[in-house]
Amino acid sequence: MLLDGGIVAGRRIVDREWIRQMFTRYSHAGNTELFQGQAESYGYGYQWWYAGVVDSRGREHPVWYADGAGRQFLMLFPELDLIVASTADDY
C-alpha cells in the first residue's frame, strides 16, 4: 500500500499527499546535531527512518524503515519494489 501510493486492490485508502509527507526527511544531518557524523542522506520523517543500504556490488539503495523492539522492523525499498518485515524476538 505504501509503495503503491496508498492504493490497495485499485482503491485509495490513504491520501497520496500524506504518504509523500510521511516519507519526507524532516530531520537530517543538515538541520540537527542528532545525525552529525551520519551520511548526508540519513534522516527521519513521520515515524520512519531513512538510510541507504549498500549491496554486495557497491550499489546504494534508499530504504525507509520502521524500527521496533526485539528486532522487529519493516523496511521499504521503493526503487526495488521490495518490502522486508521481521517479527524476530531478541529477549
Side-chain angles (χ1 to χ4, degrees), residues 10-24:
R11 182 173 167 230
R12 176 162 306 285
I13 61 171
V14 177
D15 184 69
R16 181 183 307 275
E17 178 62 16
W18 171 253
I19 292 174
R20 187 194 67 74
Q21 289 179 19
M22 185 173 64
F23 291 133
T24 297

Side-chain angles (χ1 to χ4, degrees), residues 28-88:
H28 49 81
N31 67 6
T32 182
E33 292 182 15
L34 177 66
F35 297 103
Q36 295 304 314
Q38 299 290 334
E40 183 65 31
S41 62
Y42 193 79
Y44 189 73
Y46 289 175
Q47 301 297 313
W48 289 91
W49 294 93
Y50 180 82
V53 174
V54 179
D55 68 17
S56 62
R57 295 182 183 167
R59 299 173 297 187
E60 185 173 348
H61 302 283
V63 58
W64 284 97
Y65 65 97
D67 199 4
R71 295 188 186 172
Q72 297 177 26
F73 60 83
L74 179 63
M75 301 174 79
L76 308 175
F77 293 85
E79 70 177 25
L80 300 176
D81 198 28
L82 173 68
I83 298 172
V84 178
S86 172
T87 58

